Amino acid sequence: MGAVASPFVSRTELAAALFGSSHALDPGARLTAFVTRALRLHFGEDLAGRELWEAAGIQADRVSAPALVWAVPATGRSPLAELLRGAAGGGLPLHVSLLALRRHPVTVAAGTQVLAVENPRLVEAAAERRLDCCVVAANGNPATAVTTLLAQMLDSGADLWYHGDFDASGIAICRRMHELGCEPWMMAADDYRRAVRMAEANGVRLELDTKECGPTPWDPLLETAFNRSRRIVHEEFVLDGVLDDCPPSARSG
């Protein structure tokens, strides 16, 4: 197989080519701060960290920020498809690199239900329970490997759902995932209020968020409810409910 062209350039290779040192653009370096400021001026203040650099076509590499998955029902005979099916059959979560996804795009059957979650613990728990549901962890703001995998499954006709933390940053991630084609699931105002009531009933003191959450176009009432309460509900707190109701198509909204 010939070399696969990439729309990205490695950050370390770029640093070496331009400045003579692969560490010239390392986090914390003065030059990195200057470049970051310039990128924000060009791409906007909403992006930060890895997302900001990737917007400019610059990434650390294609292997160090993989997608963590459970039970991807991959079709086809590619090496990656075989690996994904083997891992699911063996009860193992799997890390899938961007390099692998670009060389062997993942396909699934049309109508496959895929739950994307914010936190890796839910993938681990799905594997522990041998859950009959495909789960992909965004692991915070999703890396390119995650968005690439989800886009490939969406192109195959999969139904994508997303659940994450109820805090300002978590809801911002949900908004991004919604824009990418995921339907927010158990992320409505009623779900938030229900989780807060559960915490109160169990004597759990939830932390308060200092920030407002921003727009929630999938349910405008969530923005109002969260900004009024500001109580943070982490995804792990409602883990049982999320996984017990998976696959998401089994219940609406």
Side-chain angles (χ1 to χ4, degrees), residues 118-137:
E118 184 175 344
N119 299 289
R121 171 56 192 149
L122 273 77
V123 170
E124 181 183 39
E128 290 170 346
R129 301 175 187 204
R130 292 292 188 106
L131 199 66
D132 186 22
C133 178
C134 174
V135 185
V136 178

Side-chain angles (χ1 to χ4, degrees), residues 99-148:
L99 180 64
L101 290 165
R102 290 219 168 113
R103 288 189 175 176
H104 304 289
V106 170
T107 59
V108 295
T112 296
Q113 303 299 307
V114 179
L115 175 61
V117 295
E118 184 175 344
N119 299 289
R121 171 56 192 149
L122 273 77
V123 170
E124 181 183 39
E128 290 170 346
R129 301 175 187 204
R130 292 292 188 106
L131 199 66
D132 186 22
C133 178
C134 174
V135 185
V136 178
N139 199 11
N141 259 315
T144 304
V146 175
T147 58
T148 298

Side-chain angles (χ1 to χ4, degrees), residues 16-75:
L18 294 180
F19 307 110
S21 170
S22 61
H23 299 290
L25 294 175
D26 281 358
R30 179 176 298 181
L31 183 58
T32 304
F34 292 148
V35 174
T36 299
R37 190 176 307 165
L39 291 176
R40 280 183 175 155
L41 287 172
H42 183 75
F43 291 102
E45 295 293 329
D46 291 340
L47 297 178
R50 182 186 63 243
E51 273 190 295
L52 179 63
W53 288 79
E54 288 184 352
I58 303 166
Q59 62 185 24
D61 53 59
R62 291 174 288 164
V63 294
S64 64
L68 175 63
V69 304
W70 161 251
V72 176
T75 58

